[in-house]
Amino acid sequence: METPNGTIIFTTIGRTHYGFDVFSLHIASAVERRLTDGVSVNFNAQFADANGNDVVFVSERAGSARIYRTRPGDSKLEQLPGAPESFFHDRPLVTQNNRLYFISAHEKPDRHFKNWSALYTVELNGEVKEVTRVTPSDTADFSPAVSQSGDFLAVATYGSRTWGGEFHDINTDIAVFRASEPETRVVICERGGWPTWSGDSTVFFHHQADDGWWSIFRVDIPENFHESPDFPIVPIRVTPSGLHCFTPAAFHDGKRIAVATRRLGVKHRHIEIFDLEHKTFQPVTELINPSFHHYNPFVSADSEFLGYHRFRGESTHESIVPNLESIVSPIKTLRLIRINGSFPSPSPDGDLIALNSDFDINGGIKVVKSDGSKRWTLIKDRTAFYNSWSPTERHVIYASLGPIFQPAGIAVQIARIKFDPSDLTVDKEELPCDVKILTLEKTGNNAFPSCSPDGKSIVFRSGRSGHKNLYILDAVNGESDGGSIRRLTEGPWIDTMPNWSPKGDLIGFSSNRHNPENTAAFGAYVVRPDGSGLRRIQIAGPEGSEEAARERVNHVSFNKDGDWLVFTANLCGITAEPVTMPNQFQPYGDLYVVKLDGTGLRRLTWNGYEDGTPTWHTVDELDLSQLSLDGQDGDKLEGQFEEPLWISCDI
């Protein structure tokens, strides 16, 4: 199969600031200890021994999510066998007989908009560690839990249903089954997630109650449930209204559960222990770390230790967010780099990258060296987004100045930003620059500039007509200084995020022109700079098909030869339960590449986050060996990220 070459730079929303480590707390003494080593992000752990010393967890230290195990007295982590071809592993757990279960998302379903996540297992004691799929084919599973004996499992599952497009409260059901009979399943609750077993007979899980509060429910399972699938299933609400409770972890004594909570007036997610008999909460993490979010509790077999993951704090190994980070690519000829920022744009000779570090008044534009070793502030105290480096001028960058993602009439301007390359010295932090506004006042929302290969023109999206369409503008003089402007597309729809091909023959963009009433679905389009040859690139399915109608394709960018596109899309659904994570903003989050004729579609990224704003680097053979955490500057790691904004206590 033909594959693209080069390097793709992109962002992952929030991920660079997580700084997660796994911690445990001795419940009786309230003494907290860190179980992971402060490298990368480490999360979603379970105890793997009886005394709370040994944990299995997920870490992204190798450029993708893999499974590791800590052992008491051994400073070296053990990487456990996962699916060799997988770039996403999640929710590992080890049974008493040393069998590992985990989620992976490496097997492609038979159609788009089906979730890839499924449950797998491997025997750790065997000489040949063969990974076996537990989830039936054509089924998607999340968040496995194993009973105390190891004989029973529970999962949050879509079954064989296609993903419905939701990305907040996903429509998974809770199913239970014998480990020896994974295809004989009983659904014990619809619209539930994150199951946990107490002993072998009770399953707890979270579910949004009718009154709007996320709460913990339980179902008591008879021993022979698989033989009598018609046993009465009555989910019983366990936690009260007035607060959100999710991601439960049951104690095997049957008397308590640990839960993550969101309370009215409390800004952070915390872990509490709920007494099932007395219906009372015992606060845990708020007493020791009131200003950190705590996620996804787990308990030891002896019920003495409680675990979770949180921001590690600032005094550990990795205290700096690197400017650039190498990510494992599924295509050997293609390299992936995550940046600490958004909307990257490389300089003509490839030694620099422009980016936006934030979208507030303090965001502005940063310029970073392509090895990550130095970063400068080019423009500050102004909200800026979407950068386009002039292909012919080392000292000129185009950007949008104004608020991002606003209606057509909100004022946003296209700016030509010019600086002196001789100011790019190690001793400087800020670069003096001249800012020339290219668009006229009172012309609405002008954004997403992309420069032509000859440096003479800018294509951008404008809302000046009342609709967001594409225009081409004089790149030097603009429309305010005698330059020319002409309309490229026209219609009562949204044409946005244009990208000029390096050969100059095409402009790629996203649009909902195939269904203007739906502002949540966009396709990938190309058009010639003279307005001719406009066509949609068929990715998910042929024009008019259900699959084509569901596409949400954004941030299209050409490779150097102009025959491949990279973009973000929603084609593979959700990979992990969103309620278990910090905020993610969009119902899409993976990167893909496709040829201009719609063939050769390949998925590039797998995780529970939102990956976005990809672009091809101007240098094909970028040397990634220089990307080291110790050799880069960057932001101080402060653990600043949002909890899911859609979880509100104002009910």
Side-chain angles (χ1 to χ4, degrees):
M1 178 185 294
E2 185 180 355
T3 58
N5 299 307
T7 301
I8 289 172
I9 339 167
F10 68 100
T11 188
T12 303
I13 304 298
R15 154 65 179 79
T16 51
H17 295 270
Y18 288 168
F20 286 149
D21 263 328
V22 176
F23 291 79
S24 72
L25 184 86
H26 186 257
I27 297 172
S29 65
V31 174
E32 185 186 56
R33 58 178 176 169
R34 183 162 55 91
L35 301 180
T36 50
D37 58 5
V39 176
S40 187
V41 293
N42 310 291
F43 56 99
N44 283 357
Q46 292 287 329
F47 289 114
D49 64 352
N51 56 16
N53 291 315
D54 186 353
V55 294
V56 290
F57 62 98
V58 177
S59 180
E60 296 181 356
R61 63 191 59 220
S64 66
R66 302 179 187 275
I67 302 170
Y68 295 84
R69 183 173 187 166
T70 65
R71 293 194 180 274
D74 188 351
S75 59
K76 185 177 181 181
L77 295 178
E78 176 189 3
Q79 182 177 337
L80 296 186
E85 62 275 37
S86 175
F87 298 90
F88 174 83
H89 296 83
D90 195 23
R91 296 286 289 144
L93 52 89
V94 175
T95 65
Q96 292 179 358
N97 61 358
N98 218 24
R99 174 171 288 277
L100 172 68
Y101 288 96
F102 60 90
I103 294 294
S104 176
H106 63 280
E107 290 189 279
K108 184 178 180 180
D110 59 350
R111 57 193 181 277
H112 294 305
F113 306 107
K114 287 209 69 173
N115 304 81
W116 291 37
S117 298
L119 178 61
Y120 297 81
T121 187
V122 59
E123 174 57 61
L124 297 179
N125 291 332
E127 291 186 10
V128 179
K129 295 179 173 54
E130 182 178 353
V131 174
T132 304
R133 179 173 174 134
V134 177
T135 299
S137 61
D138 199 37
T139 299
D141 287 341
F142 304 80
S143 310
V146 65
S147 69
Q148 187 173 19
S149 68
D151 292 340
F152 304 100
L153 287 128
V155 292
T157 183
Y158 269 102
S160 59
R161 301 190 307 275
T162 301
W163 173 57
E166 75 281 359
F167 68 107
H168 289 162
D169 176 16
I170 60 175
N171 298 331
T172 54
D173 302 330
I174 302 298
V176 295
F177 53 90
R178 282 188 176 273
S180 58
E181 301 176 63
E183 301 212 11
T184 305
R185 298 176 163 211
V186 176
V187 172
I188 62 172
C189 182
E190 296 181 349
R191 295 286 298 275
W194 207 263
T196 178
W197 287 86
S198 176
D200 272 26
S201 60
T202 301
V203 176
F204 295 90
F205 49 89
H206 61 225
H207 168 78
Q208 191 170 20
D210 292 340
D211 57 16
W213 295 100
W214 286 75
S215 301
I216 308 304
F217 286 72
R218 68 180 287 170
V219 169
D220 296 314
I221 314 273
E223 184 176 349
N224 63 341
F225 72 91
H226 63 296
E227 299 172 358
S228 304
D230 296 327
F231 76 90
I233 301 173
V234 184
I236 301 170
R237 187 174 184 174
V238 172
T239 56
S241 63
L243 79 164
H244 294 295
C245 298
F246 27 68
T247 61
F251 290 80
H252 287 307
D253 60 14
K255 299 178 180 179
R256 296 168 292 169
I257 56 174
V259 295
T261 65
R262 282 290 304 281
R263 290 181 175 270
L264 183 65
V266 178
K267 295 182 179 180
H268 293 85
R269 181 184 298 209
H270 283 292
I271 308 301
E272 303 185 42
I273 296 174
F274 184 71
D275 188 303
L276 295 166
E277 179 181 357
H278 298 97
K279 309 296 183 184
T280 56
F281 286 93
Q282 174 190 344
V284 179
T285 60
E286 189 175 13
L287 302 178
I288 55 175
N289 302 306
S291 299
F292 294 153
H293 295 293
H294 296 72
Y295 293 90
N296 306 352
F298 55 100
V299 296
S300 61
D302 60 10
S303 298
E304 293 190 12
F305 290 91
L306 175 65
Y308 43 83
H309 64 263
R310 65 164 173 84
F311 168 56
R312 65 176 64 107
E314 302 173 22
S315 60
T316 50
H317 178 73
E318 287 187 12
S319 59
I320 296 295
V321 180
N323 292 314
L324 307 173
E325 180 183 5
S326 181
I327 303 301
V328 174
S329 172
I331 300 176
K332 292 182 179 180
T333 57
L334 194 62
R335 290 162 295 282
L336 300 177
I337 295 179
R338 175 188 289 140
I339 63 164
N340 178 25
S342 299
F343 298 116
S345 181
S347 62
D349 55 7
D351 63 331
L352 301 169
I353 301 170
L355 56 89
N356 306 119
S357 58
D358 209 339
F359 301 132
D360 60 17
I361 195 65
N362 299 313
I365 299 172
K366 310 285 187 184
V367 172
V368 61
K369 294 187 69 173
S370 283
D371 63 0
S373 62
K374 176 64 180 176
R375 187 181 64 178
W376 299 268
T377 297
L378 178 60
I379 186 172
K380 67 175 185 177
D381 300 329
R382 300 184 72 167
T383 304
F385 64 95
Y386 203 89
N387 313 288
S388 178
W389 209 304
S390 170
T392 60
E393 297 175 283
R394 176 176 165 79
H395 60 292
V396 173
I397 297 170
Y398 298 91
S400 318
L401 299 185
I404 191 171
F405 300 135
Q406 294 298 312
I410 299 299
V412 180
Q413 302 285 50
I414 302 299
R416 173 184 168 94
I417 302 162
K418 186 177 179 180
F419 66 98
D420 187 345
S422 66
D423 288 327
L424 296 167
T425 56
V426 175
D427 59 316
K428 290 187 177 180
E429 300 296 327
E430 299 181 12
L431 303 178
C433 62
D434 295 322
V435 178
K436 180 178 181 178
I437 302 300
L438 299 181
T439 45
L440 292 175
E441 293 185 11
K442 299 182 180 180
T443 55
N445 193 325
N446 304 293
F448 303 109
S450 179
C451 192
S452 61
D454 61 9
K456 295 179 180 181
S457 300
I458 292 291
V459 61
F460 67 102
R461 185 266 285 146
S462 179
R464 61 186 63 204
S465 71
H467 301 292
K468 294 179 177 179
N469 297 140
L470 304 184
Y471 293 75
I472 292 180
L473 176 67
D474 185 310
V476 177
N477 299 313
E479 60 177 322
S480 60
D481 193 18
S484 63
I485 184 170
R486 61 183 173 89
R487 191 165 188 162
L488 181 63
T489 64
E490 182 175 1
W493 45 68
I494 300 172
D495 299 326
T496 190
M497 299 180 186
N499 181 260
W500 214 311
S501 72
K503 291 186 175 181
D505 57 335
L506 291 173
I507 292 170
F509 62 99
S510 296
S511 179
N512 69 338
R513 57 176 51 224
H514 50 280
N515 185 5
E517 300 300 318
N518 187 353
T519 58
F522 288 81
Y525 289 79
V526 292
V527 65
R528 295 190 187 101
D530 64 4
S532 65
L534 191 149
R535 65 180 177 89
R536 184 177 180 183
I537 298 175
Q538 304 299 330
I539 296 174
E543 191 68 46
S545 66
E546 179 184 352
E547 291 79 10
R550 291 191 61 183
E551 279 184 356
R552 184 160 183 153
V553 176
N554 288 100
H555 305 297
V556 297
S557 174
F558 289 92
N559 69 334
K560 188 175 181 179
D561 294 328
D563 56 350
W564 286 84
L565 287 176
V566 62
F567 57 91
T568 63
N570 60 345
L571 304 179
C572 297
I574 300 294
T575 310
E577 288 194 56
V579 73
T580 71
M581 306 176 66
N583 195 56
Q584 299 301 317
F585 295 91
Q586 299 288 347
Y588 59 84
D590 294 310
L591 304 186
Y592 303 79
V593 289
V594 73
K595 296 195 71 174
L596 285 185
D597 62 3
T599 63
L601 180 70
R602 293 285 299 274
R603 183 180 184 178
L604 297 184
T605 60
W606 285 259
N607 55 56
Y609 320 128
E610 179 195 345
D611 294 326
T613 68
T615 189
W616 246 284
H617 203 285
T618 51
V619 176
D620 282 342
E621 298 299 328
L622 191 65
D623 184 6
L624 303 188
S625 65
Q626 302 302 313
L627 297 184
S628 68
L629 297 179
D630 297 331
Q632 299 189 43
D633 73 351
D635 293 325
K636 183 180 180 182
L637 183 62
E638 296 179 341
Q640 297 300 313
F641 46 84
E642 295 281 358
E643 261 287 275
L645 302 175
W646 44 274
I647 297 179
S648 171
C649 292
D650 298 327
I651 297 177

